[in-house]
Amino acid sequence: MEELHRALENHCLAVSTVQGKGRSLFTSRDFYPGEVIISQEAYVCVPTHKRCDGCFATTNLSKCSRCQVVWYCGIPCQKSEWKLHRLECEALTRLDNLKRKSVTPSIRLMLKLYIRRKLQDEKIIPTTAMDNYKLVEALVAHMSDIKEEQLVLYAQMANLVHLILQWPEINIKEIAEIFSKFACNAHTICDSELRPLGTGLYPVVSIINHSCLPNSVLVFEGRVASVRALQHVPKGTEVLISYIETAGSTVTRQKALKEHKIGMLSLANSVKLVLKGQYEDVRENAILEGYRCKTETCDGFLLRTTDGKAFQCQECGLVRDKEEIKQIATEIKLLSEEASKPSSSDRVYPAVHPLLGLQYYTCGKLEWYLGDTEEAVRSLTKAVDILRITHGTNTPFVKELLMMLEEARAEALYKLSSKE
């Protein structure tokens, strides 16, 4: 761990042990809103569903011709992953078709972990102070907190991994313990709009502890995890992120934190805990992409009809009138504004929170499409104020948002001058 301490010193950070919390990350200089405190590539990661193993893209995909399990979007990604996948591919091809279908992302994450360790031990791929297996060994497994049925599940998964790899130097008990570490420490990798893309293990980022009033936020740029300051973080302060949805009641948050010990919750997953009840349909149907159809059987997109009076799904043909879409925009905006206000209830977001920024972003898009340009400018401005801190001004998503805001402003000025 000496190498890690020295590497963190270069980032103006230090690891200390805090009673009752274990290892914790502290700053050794001031950090300011939007500044990256630390970023890390995944030690191992896998996409969920049908995505490129290299970049998590969903277009132009082709299966690995040999194992028929892994997908790539092109030769560059295939080459970048080849050292790892070569050994994984050999192991997977030994399985019959039925067992191959049992290889879930969690199983693949474990396979890649052991393969990466082997390649680093054999000096085929390099190790660094922030990229080595010792950091994985140092992670807490919380085995004593796990229920018996969960332990049985880990043992079954470990047995499958052992069967696939057929390496005598690893044992089932060791694999099961690492599955427990995954549950406590792995993160859901999300895109800029907090839609889940995959799962990754970031051993240094995992040192950071939870707070319901965090001073930092974890976001992803591709497969890189970045922790950004949400506020001024003075020298000597512990870096804290939220593991759970902070807008829930105290009871909800306590329950989620307890569950966190046996399964990591990401911001993308925690969206499902937000304000159950009257806004449930609005959130499910409109979150992040307010013009998506999102019926039970369709995931198409809504486009304005030629007469401008309604929106029609381009996949299933469902027509939603303009007033319905306008009501969705209004309710999302009310939700955003209420969530950011101090109140007697516990359901409050901090002033700077990525979900709050994304709700304003959704409102702005809907208002613009509905022709309410002035309101769109106000909503998009609020979105920019938040997301430039949580996501960074140089990310493609925020650059696109800034362009959208400028276009909306130009349109609003044109409408104003036309009236005059």
Side-chain angles (χ1 to χ4, degrees):
M1 290 295 118
E2 290 277 337
E3 288 183 358
L4 175 62
H5 286 285
R6 285 196 294 270
L8 289 174
E9 282 177 10
N10 294 332
H11 293 276
C12 300
L13 297 166
V15 175
S16 297
T17 301
V18 177
Q19 188 173 4
K21 296 172 76 174
R23 293 188 303 164
S24 307
L25 194 67
F26 287 83
T27 61
S28 55
R29 72 163 174 87
D30 287 21
F31 285 86
Y32 296 91
E35 193 173 358
V36 175
I37 295 174
I38 190 169
S39 61
Q40 185 182 23
E41 287 270 3
Y43 186 73
V44 284
C45 62
V46 290
T48 50
H49 309 300
K50 184 180 171 182
R51 293 184 180 276
C52 173
D53 224 54
C55 66
F56 292 0
T58 56
T59 56
N60 302 318
L61 297 180
S62 299
K63 272 186 181 179
C64 170
S65 58
R66 190 177 179 198
C67 70
Q68 295 289 305
V69 172
V70 179
W71 297 83
Y72 295 106
C73 67
I75 292 174
C77 280
Q78 190 172 15
K79 282 184 175 179
S80 70
E81 294 293 305
W82 178 240
K83 285 181 180 177
L84 273 172
H85 183 59
R86 180 177 62 83
L87 295 180
E88 181 190 26
C89 192
E90 288 176 2
L92 291 174
T93 51
R94 289 195 293 265
L95 300 175
D96 59 42
N97 289 334
L98 185 61
K99 285 192 173 68
R100 218 176 290 182
K101 289 178 182 178
S102 303
V103 179
T104 62
S106 296
I107 297 293
R108 285 202 60 220
L109 196 67
M110 185 66 75
L111 295 175
K112 293 178 84 167
L113 179 83
Y114 274 105
I115 291 168
R116 187 169 182 81
R117 184 182 77 170
K118 178 181 177 67
L119 293 175
Q120 286 186 326
D121 287 346
E122 295 173 355
K123 313 296 184 187
I124 295 171
I125 57 175
T127 60
T128 68
M130 292 178 63
D131 180 14
N132 63 79
Y133 187 75
K134 288 180 181 178
L135 300 175
V136 179
E137 289 180 319
L139 295 174
V140 178
H142 290 293
M143 291 292 282
S144 60
D145 297 328
I146 298 172
K147 294 179 180 178
E148 185 178 348
E149 57 265 32
Q150 191 70 24
L151 287 171
V152 171
L153 176 62
Y154 289 159
Q156 291 171 340
M157 294 165 69
N159 192 54
L160 180 56
V161 170
H162 195 266
L163 174 71
I164 295 170
L165 286 178
Q166 297 181 14
W167 293 354
E169 65 269 25
I170 61 173
N171 61 71
I172 291 174
K173 184 180 178 182
E174 177 188 275
I175 301 170
E177 185 173 343
I178 297 174
F179 271 124
S180 182
K181 289 183 179 182
F182 281 174
C184 303
N185 296 283
H187 290 82
T188 299
I189 300 170
C190 305
D191 67 9
S192 296
E193 297 183 48
L194 303 187
R195 292 171 298 207
L197 304 177
T199 305
L201 189 65
Y202 299 85
V204 179
V205 171
S206 292
I207 295 171
I208 300 172
N209 287 316
H210 163 81
S211 171
C212 285
L213 293 172
N215 53 26
S216 309
V217 65
L218 173 63
V219 293
F220 294 88
E221 298 167 31
R223 300 185 346 178
V224 176
S226 296
V227 177
R228 291 182 179 272
L230 292 175
Q231 61 198 49
H232 175 215
V233 184
K235 178 181 178 180
T237 303
E238 184 180 1
V239 179
L240 297 166
I241 60 175
S242 177
Y243 294 169
I244 60 168
E245 172 50 53
T246 56
S249 67
T250 302
V251 173
T252 300
R253 295 201 307 270
Q254 288 173 342
K255 183 175 182 290
L257 277 171
K258 186 177 180 182
E259 288 172 349
H260 175 267
K261 288 189 176 182
I262 56 170
M264 192 69 174
L265 292 177
S266 71
L267 278 171
N269 290 333
S270 68
V271 172
K272 297 189 181 298
L273 300 176
V274 178
L275 302 177
K276 298 286 185 184
Q278 61 179 316
Y279 291 114
E280 184 68 9
D281 291 339
V282 174
R283 182 184 54 72
E284 289 295 337
N285 291 322
I287 189 105
L288 307 184
E289 294 220 24
Y291 49 93
R292 181 174 287 178
C293 182
K294 276 293 183 185
T295 64
E296 290 183 4
T297 57
C298 179
D299 198 25
F301 283 85
L302 300 172
L303 294 179
R304 201 189 305 246
T305 56
T306 53
D307 60 9
K309 294 180 180 179
F311 288 77
Q312 185 171 25
C313 177
Q314 302 304 293
E315 291 290 330
C316 69
L318 175 71
V319 176
R320 302 178 75 173
D321 63 52
K322 195 172 181 179
E323 289 305 312
E324 183 184 1
I325 300 297
K326 190 175 286 187
Q327 181 65 21
I328 289 174
T330 302
E331 291 183 353
I332 294 174
K333 194 162 191 175
L334 284 171
L335 172 60
S336 302
E337 290 170 351
E338 287 301 315
S340 61
K341 287 179 184 176
S343 69
S344 58
S345 74
D346 287 320
R347 295 192 242 185
V348 179
Y349 282 128
V352 178
H353 191 286
L355 285 176
L356 190 60
L358 288 168
Q359 285 173 346
Y360 280 123
Y361 167 66
T362 298
C363 289
K365 286 196 300 181
L366 282 170
E367 287 161 345
W368 195 10
Y369 296 141
L370 292 165
D372 196 348
T373 314
E374 289 185 11
E375 282 299 315
V377 168
R378 281 191 275 271
S379 296
L380 292 174
T381 300
K382 289 178 181 179
V384 167
D385 290 343
I386 295 171
L387 297 176
R388 73 194 317 168
I389 293 173
T390 62
H391 286 57
T393 54
N394 293 322
T395 57
F397 174 65
V398 174
K399 286 180 179 178
E400 184 180 328
L401 173 56
L402 287 166
M403 288 177 62
M404 186 185 297
L405 176 57
E406 287 306 308
E407 287 179 36
R409 281 175 175 162
E411 187 176 306
L413 286 171
Y414 175 76
K415 284 184 176 181
L416 184 63
S417 62
S418 299
K419 288 178 183 178
E420 294 173 351

